[in-house]
Amino acid sequence: MNRFSAIICLIIGFSTLLRCSEPLERQHVPVFAGISIDSTAACPMATLTENRSIQVEAKLDGWSVEIPMLIRTDDLSNSFVYYEGHTLDTLIHLLQEQNIPYFLNFFLQNPFSYKPEEISTDKYLTDVSGLLLRASDYPPEVIGFMGSFLDQNLMGDKLQVLVAELRKALPLFSGQIVYAGVPEVLERAEFDWNTPDAIGVVYLPPEPDEIKPHFREINQHLSTLLQRHQKPVYILQSNLVGDEKLIVFKNQLRFWNDAVDLQGIVLNSLYCHISLSDSTSPFSLKGDQAFGTYLKTYLSK
């Protein structure tokens, strides 16, 4: 076994290379590694390089790069500085070297529950524009918007205006615009189904004894909405956690109407300073032998 094969075995946590004999759920759905970049944590070059090697060797279909943004009213300290180097520059360069596809998702969070009138949204949209310009030479396959970006009481029509300008500002971008949220957000009457090309689902961890009914209800209802609006769907946050990762992963792929176009699922988005082989996070996939065996078989499709 070579070095990279050993690393793959480590991250996905199986001790044997036995084939999984059970049927695979919803075969041929692309699987992406997730990484989260914020403005405060350093992302070591060695870790980024290792993660890329693991992703290639494990035959994952690409990366989902998530940019969390925190709404603050006191200062602009969490803004990106465009004339300085940024982790995104390095990561895109690494992906471009091997022609690896990636998503770029922007997640605006309001943990302090500021009211819309207290928030200046322009700076967050400016941050998005600046970060997208860094990706102009090697653009993503998906540009996603999550969290408070989808709050029309906060944003009004500003996000729609930005989306309309994206393809003009990024002439090499030919991918999809995705709006992603938890099921409750997607089910709201005011949710904008017209602007995005596709919809993204953010799953929250279910109660251990309610996994199957939880995802049956969600996926069947979302199937109806997706068919009504003729939109494909991505699972942009799988949130696999605890000892039931395999059954949760499988049930996330179940219960969709056959006519629904499920275009990808993103494995947990660890912070970029953490290696994919990390074992300290409860969201780490290392050490779950059943999940590792299943995932290896699924990726060998």
CSV table of all heavy atoms in Angstrom, one decimal, residues 221-258:
chain,number,residue,atom,x,y,z
A,221,HIS,N,-41.1,15.7,0.8
A,221,HIS,CA,-41.7,17.0,0.7
A,221,HIS,C,-40.9,17.9,-0.3
A,221,HIS,O,-41.5,18.6,-1.1
A,221,HIS,CB,-41.9,17.7,2.0
A,221,HIS,CG,-42.6,19.0,2.0
A,221,HIS,ND1,-43.9,19.2,1.4
A,221,HIS,CD2,-42.2,20.3,2.3
A,221,HIS,CE1,-44.2,20.5,1.5
A,221,HIS,NE2,-43.2,21.1,2.0
A,222,LEU,N,-39.6,17.9,-0.1
A,222,LEU,CA,-38.7,18.7,-1.0
A,222,LEU,C,-38.8,18.2,-2.4
A,222,LEU,O,-38.7,19.0,-3.3
A,222,LEU,CB,-37.3,18.6,-0.5
A,222,LEU,CG,-37.0,19.4,0.8
A,222,LEU,CD1,-35.5,19.3,1.2
A,222,LEU,CD2,-37.4,20.9,0.7
A,223,SER,N,-39.0,16.9,-2.6
A,223,SER,CA,-39.2,16.4,-4.0
A,223,SER,C,-40.4,17.0,-4.7
A,223,SER,O,-40.3,17.4,-5.8
A,223,SER,CB,-39.4,14.9,-3.9
A,223,SER,OG,-38.2,14.2,-3.6
A,224,THR,N,-41.4,17.2,-3.9
A,224,THR,CA,-42.6,17.8,-4.5
A,224,THR,C,-42.3,19.3,-4.9
A,224,THR,O,-42.7,19.7,-6.0
A,224,THR,CB,-43.8,17.8,-3.5
A,224,THR,OG1,-44.1,16.5,-3.1
A,224,THR,CG2,-45.0,18.5,-4.0
A,225,LEU,N,-41.6,20.0,-4.0
A,225,LEU,CA,-41.3,21.4,-4.3
A,225,LEU,C,-40.3,21.5,-5.5
A,225,LEU,O,-40.5,22.4,-6.4
A,225,LEU,CB,-40.7,22.1,-3.1
A,225,LEU,CG,-41.6,22.3,-1.9
A,225,LEU,CD1,-40.8,22.8,-0.7
A,225,LEU,CD2,-42.7,23.2,-2.2
A,226,LEU,N,-39.3,20.6,-5.5
A,226,LEU,CA,-38.3,20.7,-6.6
A,226,LEU,C,-39.0,20.3,-7.9
A,226,LEU,O,-38.6,21.0,-9.0
A,226,LEU,CB,-37.2,19.7,-6.3
A,226,LEU,CG,-36.3,20.1,-5.1
A,226,LEU,CD1,-35.5,18.9,-4.6
A,226,LEU,CD2,-35.3,21.2,-5.5
A,227,GLN,N,-39.9,19.4,-8.0
A,227,GLN,CA,-40.6,19.1,-9.2
A,227,GLN,C,-41.5,20.2,-9.7
A,227,GLN,O,-41.6,20.5,-10.8
A,227,GLN,CB,-41.3,17.8,-9.0
A,227,GLN,CG,-40.4,16.5,-9.0
A,227,GLN,CD,-41.2,15.3,-8.8
A,227,GLN,OE1,-41.6,14.9,-7.8
A,227,GLN,NE2,-41.5,14.7,-10.0
A,228,ARG,N,-42.1,20.8,-8.7
A,228,ARG,CA,-43.0,21.9,-9.0
A,228,ARG,C,-42.3,23.1,-9.7
A,228,ARG,O,-42.8,23.7,-10.6
A,228,ARG,CB,-43.8,22.4,-7.8
A,228,ARG,CG,-44.7,23.5,-8.0
A,228,ARG,CD,-45.3,24.0,-6.7
A,228,ARG,NE,-45.8,22.9,-5.9
A,228,ARG,CZ,-46.1,23.0,-4.6
A,228,ARG,NH1,-45.7,24.1,-3.9
A,228,ARG,NH2,-46.6,22.0,-3.9
A,229,HIS,N,-41.1,23.3,-9.2
A,229,HIS,CA,-40.3,24.5,-9.7
A,229,HIS,C,-39.2,24.1,-10.7
A,229,HIS,O,-38.5,24.9,-11.2
A,229,HIS,CB,-39.6,25.2,-8.5
A,229,HIS,CG,-40.6,25.8,-7.6
A,229,HIS,ND1,-41.2,27.1,-7.8
A,229,HIS,CD2,-41.1,25.4,-6.4
A,229,HIS,CE1,-42.0,27.4,-6.8
A,229,HIS,NE2,-42.0,26.4,-5.9
A,230,GLN,N,-39.2,22.8,-11.0
A,230,GLN,CA,-38.2,22.2,-12.0
A,230,GLN,C,-36.8,22.6,-11.7
A,230,GLN,O,-36.1,23.2,-12.5
A,230,GLN,CB,-38.7,22.7,-13.4
A,230,GLN,CG,-40.0,22.1,-13.9
A,230,GLN,CD,-39.9,20.6,-14.0
A,230,GLN,OE1,-39.2,20.1,-14.8
A,230,GLN,NE2,-40.7,19.9,-13.2
A,231,LYS,N,-36.3,22.3,-10.5
A,231,LYS,CA,-35.0,22.6,-10.0
A,231,LYS,C,-34.2,21.4,-9.6
A,231,LYS,O,-34.8,20.5,-8.9
A,231,LYS,CB,-35.0,23.6,-8.8
A,231,LYS,CG,-35.7,24.9,-9.1
A,231,LYS,CD,-34.9,25.8,-10.0
A,231,LYS,CE,-35.5,27.2,-10.2
A,231,LYS,NZ,-34.8,28.1,-11.1
A,232,PRO,N,-33.0,21.3,-10.0
A,232,PRO,CA,-32.1,20.2,-9.4
A,232,PRO,C,-31.7,20.6,-8.0
A,232,PRO,O,-31.9,21.7,-7.6
A,232,PRO,CB,-30.9,20.2,-10.4
A,232,PRO,CG,-30.8,21.6,-10.9
A,232,PRO,CD,-32.3,22.1,-11.0
A,233,VAL,N,-31.1,19.7,-7.3
A,233,VAL,CA,-30.8,19.9,-5.9
A,233,VAL,C,-29.4,19.3,-5.5
A,233,VAL,O,-28.9,18.4,-6.1
A,233,VAL,CB,-31.9,19.2,-5.0
A,233,VAL,CG1,-31.9,17.7,-5.1
A,233,VAL,CG2,-31.7,19.6,-3.5
A,234,TYR,N,-28.8,20.0,-4.6
A,234,TYR,CA,-27.5,19.6,-4.0
A,234,TYR,C,-27.7,19.4,-2.5
A,234,TYR,O,-28.5,20.2,-1.9
A,234,TYR,CB,-26.4,20.6,-4.2
A,234,TYR,CG,-25.9,20.7,-5.6
A,234,TYR,CD1,-26.5,21.7,-6.4
A,234,TYR,CD2,-24.8,20.0,-6.1
A,234,TYR,CE1,-26.1,21.8,-7.7
A,234,TYR,CE2,-24.4,20.2,-7.4
A,234,TYR,CZ,-25.0,21.1,-8.2
A,234,TYR,OH,-24.6,21.3,-9.5
A,235,ILE,N,-27.1,18.5,-1.9
A,235,ILE,CA,-27.0,18.4,-0.4
A,235,ILE,C,-25.7,19.1,0.0
A,235,ILE,O,-24.6,18.6,-0.2
A,235,ILE,CB,-27.0,17.0,0.1
A,235,ILE,CG1,-28.3,16.3,-0.3
A,235,ILE,CG2,-26.8,17.0,1.7
A,235,ILE,CD1,-28.3,14.8,0.0
A,236,LEU,N,-25.8,20.4,0.4
A,236,LEU,CA,-24.6,21.2,0.6
A,236,LEU,C,-24.0,21.1,2.0
A,236,LEU,O,-22.9,21.5,2.2
A,236,LEU,CB,-24.9,22.7,0.2
A,236,LEU,CG,-24.9,23.1,-1.2
A,236,LEU,CD1,-24.9,24.6,-1.4
A,236,LEU,CD2,-23.7,22.5,-2.0
A,237,GLN,N,-24.8,20.7,2.9
A,237,GLN,CA,-24.3,20.4,4.3
A,237,GLN,C,-25.0,19.1,4.7
A,237,GLN,O,-26.2,19.0,5.0
A,237,GLN,CB,-24.6,21.5,5.2
A,237,GLN,CG,-23.7,22.7,5.1
A,237,GLN,CD,-23.9,23.7,6.3
A,237,GLN,OE1,-24.6,23.4,7.2
A,237,GLN,NE2,-23.2,24.8,6.2
A,238,SER,N,-24.1,18.0,4.8
A,238,SER,CA,-24.7,16.7,5.3
A,238,SER,C,-24.7,16.6,6.8
A,238,SER,O,-25.5,15.9,7.4
A,238,SER,CB,-23.9,15.6,4.7
A,238,SER,OG,-22.5,15.7,5.0
A,239,ASN,N,-23.8,17.3,7.5
A,239,ASN,CA,-23.7,17.3,9.0
A,239,ASN,C,-23.8,15.9,9.6
A,239,ASN,O,-24.6,15.6,10.4
A,239,ASN,CB,-24.8,18.2,9.5
A,239,ASN,CG,-24.5,19.7,9.6
A,239,ASN,OD1,-23.4,20.0,9.9
A,239,ASN,ND2,-25.4,20.5,9.1
A,240,LEU,N,-22.9,15.1,9.1
A,240,LEU,CA,-22.7,13.7,9.7
A,240,LEU,C,-22.0,13.8,11.0
A,240,LEU,O,-20.9,14.3,11.1
A,240,LEU,CB,-22.0,12.8,8.7
A,240,LEU,CG,-22.5,12.8,7.3
A,240,LEU,CD1,-21.6,12.0,6.4
A,240,LEU,CD2,-23.9,12.2,7.2
A,241,VAL,N,-22.6,13.3,12.0
A,241,VAL,CA,-22.0,13.5,13.4
A,241,VAL,C,-22.4,12.3,14.2
A,241,VAL,O,-23.4,11.6,14.0
A,241,VAL,CB,-22.5,14.8,14.0
A,241,VAL,CG1,-24.0,14.7,14.3
A,241,VAL,CG2,-21.7,15.1,15.3
A,242,GLY,N,-21.5,11.9,15.2
A,242,GLY,CA,-21.8,10.8,16.1
A,242,GLY,C,-21.6,9.5,15.6
A,242,GLY,O,-20.8,9.3,14.6
A,243,ASP,N,-22.3,8.5,16.1
A,243,ASP,CA,-22.1,7.1,15.8
A,243,ASP,C,-23.0,6.6,14.7
A,243,ASP,O,-22.9,5.4,14.3
A,243,ASP,CB,-22.3,6.2,17.0
A,243,ASP,CG,-21.3,6.6,18.1
A,243,ASP,OD1,-20.1,6.9,17.8
A,243,ASP,OD2,-21.7,6.5,19.3
A,244,GLU,N,-23.8,7.4,14.1
A,244,GLU,CA,-24.8,7.0,13.1
A,244,GLU,C,-24.5,7.6,11.7
A,244,GLU,O,-25.4,7.8,10.9
A,244,GLU,CB,-26.2,7.3,13.6
A,244,GLU,CG,-26.6,6.8,14.9
A,244,GLU,CD,-26.8,5.2,14.9
A,244,GLU,OE1,-26.9,4.7,13.8
A,244,GLU,OE2,-26.8,4.6,15.9
A,245,LYS,N,-23.2,7.9,11.4
A,245,LYS,CA,-22.9,8.6,10.2
A,245,LYS,C,-23.4,7.8,9.0
A,245,LYS,O,-23.9,8.4,8.0
A,245,LYS,CB,-21.4,8.8,10.1
A,245,LYS,CG,-20.8,9.8,11.1
A,245,LYS,CD,-19.4,10.0,10.9
A,245,LYS,CE,-18.8,11.0,11.9
A,245,LYS,NZ,-18.7,10.4,13.3
A,246,LEU,N,-23.2,6.5,9.0
A,246,LEU,CA,-23.5,5.7,7.8
A,246,LEU,C,-25.0,5.7,7.5
A,246,LEU,O,-25.5,6.0,6.4
A,246,LEU,CB,-23.1,4.2,7.9
A,246,LEU,CG,-23.5,3.3,6.8
A,246,LEU,CD1,-23.0,3.8,5.5
A,246,LEU,CD2,-23.0,1.9,7.1
A,247,ILE,N,-25.8,5.4,8.6
A,247,ILE,CA,-27.3,5.4,8.4
A,247,ILE,C,-27.8,6.8,8.0
A,247,ILE,O,-28.8,6.9,7.2
A,247,ILE,CB,-28.0,4.8,9.6
A,247,ILE,CG1,-29.5,4.5,9.3
A,247,ILE,CG2,-27.9,5.7,10.8
A,247,ILE,CD1,-30.2,3.7,10.3
A,248,VAL,N,-27.2,7.8,8.6
A,248,VAL,CA,-27.7,9.2,8.2
A,248,VAL,C,-27.3,9.5,6.8
A,248,VAL,O,-28.2,10.0,6.0
A,248,VAL,CB,-27.0,10.2,9.2
A,248,VAL,CG1,-27.3,11.6,8.6
A,248,VAL,CG2,-27.6,10.1,10.6
A,249,PHE,N,-26.1,9.2,6.3
A,249,PHE,CA,-25.7,9.4,5.0
A,249,PHE,C,-26.6,8.7,4.0
A,249,PHE,O,-27.1,9.2,3.0
A,249,PHE,CB,-24.2,8.9,4.8
A,249,PHE,CG,-23.7,9.0,3.4
A,249,PHE,CD1,-23.2,10.3,2.9
A,249,PHE,CD2,-23.6,7.9,2.6
A,249,PHE,CE1,-22.7,10.4,1.7
A,249,PHE,CE2,-23.0,8.0,1.3
A,249,PHE,CZ,-22.6,9.3,0.8
A,250,LYS,N,-26.9,7.4,4.3
A,250,LYS,CA,-27.8,6.6,3.4
A,250,LYS,C,-29.2,7.2,3.3
A,250,LYS,O,-29.8,7.2,2.3
A,250,LYS,CB,-27.8,5.1,3.8
A,250,LYS,CG,-26.4,4.4,3.6
A,250,LYS,CD,-26.3,3.1,4.4
A,250,LYS,CE,-27.3,2.1,3.8
A,250,LYS,NZ,-27.1,0.8,4.5
A,251,ASN,N,-29.7,7.6,4.5
A,251,ASN,CA,-31.1,8.1,4.5
A,251,ASN,C,-31.1,9.5,3.8
A,251,ASN,O,-32.2,9.9,3.3
A,251,ASN,CB,-31.6,8.2,5.9
A,251,ASN,CG,-32.2,6.8,6.3
A,251,ASN,OD1,-33.3,6.5,6.0
A,251,ASN,ND2,-31.4,6.0,7.0
A,252,GLN,N,-30.0,10.3,3.8
A,252,GLN,CA,-30.0,11.5,3.1
A,252,GLN,C,-30.2,11.3,1.6
A,252,GLN,O,-30.7,12.1,0.9
A,252,GLN,CB,-28.8,12.3,3.4
A,252,GLN,CG,-28.8,12.9,4.8
A,252,GLN,CD,-27.5,13.6,5.2
A,252,GLN,OE1,-26.5,13.6,4.4
A,252,GLN,NE2,-27.4,14.2,6.3
A,253,LEU,N,-29.7,10.2,1.1
A,253,LEU,CA,-29.8,9.8,-0.3
A,253,LEU,C,-31.1,9.1,-0.7
A,253,LEU,O,-31.4,9.0,-1.8
A,253,LEU,CB,-28.6,8.9,-0.7
A,253,LEU,CG,-27.2,9.6,-0.6
A,253,LEU,CD1,-26.1,8.5,-0.9
A,253,LEU,CD2,-27.1,10.7,-1.6
A,254,ARG,N,-31.9,8.7,0.3
A,254,ARG,CA,-33.1,8.0,0.1
A,254,ARG,C,-34.3,9.0,0.0
A,254,ARG,O,-34.2,10.1,0.3
A,254,ARG,CB,-33.4,7.0,1.3
A,254,ARG,CG,-32.5,5.8,1.3
A,254,ARG,CD,-32.7,5.1,2.6
A,254,ARG,NE,-31.9,3.9,2.6
A,254,ARG,CZ,-31.6,3.2,3.7
A,254,ARG,NH1,-32.1,3.6,4.9
A,254,ARG,NH2,-30.9,2.1,3.7
A,255,PHE,N,-35.4,8.4,-0.4
A,255,PHE,CA,-36.8,9.0,-0.4
A,255,PHE,C,-37.0,10.1,-1.4
A,255,PHE,O,-38.0,10.8,-1.4
A,255,PHE,CB,-37.1,9.5,1.1
A,255,PHE,CG,-36.8,8.5,2.1
A,255,PHE,CD1,-35.9,8.7,3.1
A,255,PHE,CD2,-37.5,7.3,2.1
A,255,PHE,CE1,-35.6,7.8,4.1
A,255,PHE,CE2,-37.2,6.3,3.1
A,255,PHE,CZ,-36.3,6.6,4.1
A,256,TRP,N,-36.0,10.4,-2.2
A,256,TRP,CA,-36.2,11.4,-3.3
A,256,TRP,C,-37.0,10.8,-4.4
A,256,TRP,O,-36.8,9.6,-4.7
A,256,TRP,CB,-34.9,11.9,-3.8
A,256,TRP,CG,-34.0,12.6,-2.8
A,256,TRP,CD1,-32.9,12.0,-2.2
A,256,TRP,CD2,-34.0,13.9,-2.4
A,256,TRP,NE1,-32.4,13.0,-1.3
A,256,TRP,CE2,-33.0,14.2,-1.5
A,256,TRP,CE3,-34.9,15.0,-2.8
A,256,TRP,CZ2,-32.8,15.4,-0.9
A,256,TRP,CZ3,-34.6,16.2,-2.2
A,256,TRP,CH2,-33.6,16.4,-1.2
A,257,ASN,N,-37.9,11.6,-5.0
A,257,ASN,CA,-38.6,11.1,-6.1
A,257,ASN,C,-37.6,10.8,-7.2
A,257,ASN,O,-36.6,11.5,-7.4
A,257,ASN,CB,-39.6,12.1,-6.6
A,257,ASN,CG,-40.5,11.7,-7.7
A,257,ASN,OD1,-40.1,11.5,-8.9
A,257,ASN,ND2,-41.8,11.4,-7.4
A,258,ASP,N,-37.8,9.8,-8.0
A,258,ASP,CA,-36.9,9.4,-9.0
A,258,ASP,C,-36.7,10.5,-10.1
A,258,ASP,O,-35.6,10.5,-10.7
A,258,ASP,CB,-37.4,8.1,-9.8
A,258,ASP,CG,-37.3,6.9,-8.9
A,258,ASP,OD1,-36.5,6.9,-7.9
A,258,ASP,OD2,-38.0,5.9,-9.2
